[in-house]
Amino acid sequence: MSEPVQTPQTFPTRIFSGIQPSGGLTLGNYLGALKRFVQKQDEGIETIYCLVDMHAITTWQDPIKLRQQTREAAAGFIAAGIDPTRSILFNQSQVSAHAELGWIFNCVARMGWMSRMTQFKDKAGKNSENVSLGLYAYPALMAADILAYKATHVPVGEDQKQHIELTRDIALKFNNDYKENFFPITEPVIEGAATRVMSLRDGTKKMSKSDPSDQSRINLTDDADTIAKKFRKAKTDAEPLPDSLEGLKDRPDARNLINIYAALADMTPEAVITEYAGAQFGTFKPALADLAVAKLSPITTKMSHLMQDPAEIDRILGEGASRADAIARPILDQVYDIVGMIRSRQV
Ligand code: TYM
């Protein structure tokens, strides 16, 4: 790739991130993304968070469920600590700049770049002739989500790293093609002990809302009993915990539980392994379950309370969308100018 025209430091710090409402929120979403979204907001940085409903329909979504899941995800964000007056919280389809800029980026991104996206290859599998065109173009829309706000930083889990790299490539190519230092070269922010939370049934697979087994994940809507049961049944081996992380090198299931504990307790994995050195899972799992219940139950309770007033959630999303549009629209107008579109309509 060619060098950036200028460094990203010329752009003011602005955070953007998104979550697909294609199912319920999982512990992976919470620890890898949402908990960190709240931290960024609380650090006083400008934060824009989006429920990416247009990304969700790249795979089939039942319309009634999609609406429900979008509201539920919004409730999850607020219950976890996103304050819609300090952050902008909205759903993607209410701000058309995303789709419009996404088209322009379809014309910037190269087929070769898209074909290398591992998430597409994983999701399409052997069925690539039969998946939607949207699933293939998905990362260009994701770049548009971020760059419609000239966001400089994007907190995500490990699995989204390649998509952020593509966003950087698109920004670079746009800046170089049009000889403008227009878009920042966005930085991924992948931090903490739980950037890749694994399935509770298989420590080599990512915890995912689309896994057919509900036992593989903790949902933010699970009650205390269910959370405790799932951790008690989580796959592990028969060995006691070692006294250093080195000892977990070939024990992905155990390592995953240590990481989850660390992220929930705001500790380092090193500190957790020191505390539980020599412990059996019979001791560690109940401690982890108690911790998870203590941290997640207040969120679950608040979420179900918020869900009793869907009109209020819709109002919050609508207001967030207006604020998001006020930032994105002037940026998109400049993009249209840069690429040479006539803008003569009176509005
Ligand atoms: P999605 O909806 O799959 O996940 C939302 C966020 O949760 C993180 N995450 C995880 N982190 C740790 N362990 C896990 N098991 C785990 N599962 C999910 C993801 O890394 C992500 O940060 N393409 C994105 C949505 C998106 C987006 C954007 C993100 C669309 N536009 C713009 C950032 C900026 C996605 O499918 O995430």
Side-chain angles (χ1 to χ4, degrees), residues 167-188:
T167 301
R168 293 163 64 91
D169 287 345
I170 288 177
L172 269 174
K173 184 162 163 46
F174 183 95
N175 289 352
N176 283 331
D177 287 353
Y178 293 101
K179 314 260 177 305
E180 295 258 0
N181 178 39
F182 189 73
F183 287 121
I185 311 305
T186 306
E187 296 286 338

Side-chain angles (χ1 to χ4, degrees), residues 20 28-29 138 142 145 156-157 159-160 195 197 206-207 209:
Q20 290 194 64
N29 296 136
Y138 178 116
M142 178 160 161
D145 298 337
V156 279
D159 62 332
Q160 294 301 315
T195 56
V197 177
K206 191 183 74 170
M207 181 181 286
K209 48 195 161 221

Side-chain angles (χ1 to χ4, degrees), residues 70-257:
T70 306
R71 290 190 182 119
E72 199 174 270
F77 272 58
I78 298 166
I82 296 297
D83 171 353
T85 63
R86 282 190 290 154
S87 292
I88 294 181
L89 176 64
F90 70 108
N91 59 311
Q92 185 184 27
S93 58
Q94 296 208 71
V95 180
S96 62
H98 294 242
E100 293 178 59
L101 188 59
W103 178 259
I104 291 174
F105 287 168
N106 281 346
C107 303
V108 174
R110 305 289 93 182
M111 292 288 280
W113 301 356
M114 308 306 273
S115 302
R116 282 194 286 277
M117 294 295 111
T118 53
Q119 187 158 307
F120 174 77
K121 287 192 254 184
D122 290 348
K123 283 200 175 172
K126 291 192 184 72
N127 197 27
S128 66
E129 288 292 307
N130 228 346
V131 297
S132 73
L133 180 57
L135 191 67
Y136 189 70
Y138 178 116
L141 179 60
M142 178 160 161
D145 298 337
I146 296 164
L147 295 174
Y149 303 91
K150 296 193 175 183
T152 53
H153 295 81
V154 181
V156 279
E158 182 65 44
D159 62 332
Q160 294 301 315
K161 190 167 174 222
Q162 195 187 30
H163 288 159
I164 309 294
E165 281 162 5
L166 185 96
T167 301
R168 293 163 64 91
D169 287 345
I170 288 177
L172 269 174
K173 184 162 163 46
F174 183 95
N175 289 352
N176 283 331
D177 287 353
Y178 293 101
K179 314 260 177 305
E180 295 258 0
N181 178 39
F182 189 73
F183 287 121
I185 311 305
T186 306
E187 296 286 338
V189 185
I190 302 172
E191 294 171 336
T195 56
R196 192 170 174 82
V197 177
M198 309 309 273
S199 156
L200 299 181
R201 304 266 83 207
D202 177 355
T204 64
K205 261 176 56 189
K206 191 183 74 170
M207 181 181 286
S208 160
K209 48 195 161 221
S210 55
D211 192 311
S213 163
D214 193 59
Q215 297 301 313
S216 71
R217 64 177 160 266
I218 305 288
N219 306 298
L220 281 199
T221 48
D222 285 344
D223 60 26
D225 264 4
T226 311
I227 294 175
K229 243 182 241 147
K230 284 180 178 175
F231 276 121
R232 247 183 283 125
K233 285 199 185 144
K235 183 171 164 245
T236 40
D237 48 45
E239 301 293 311
L241 284 166
D243 58 9
S244 76
L245 292 181
E246 235 337 73
L248 289 177
K249 219 167 64 201
D250 300 315
R251 298 171 67 188
D253 297 295
R255 176 68 211 236
N256 185 36
L257 297 187

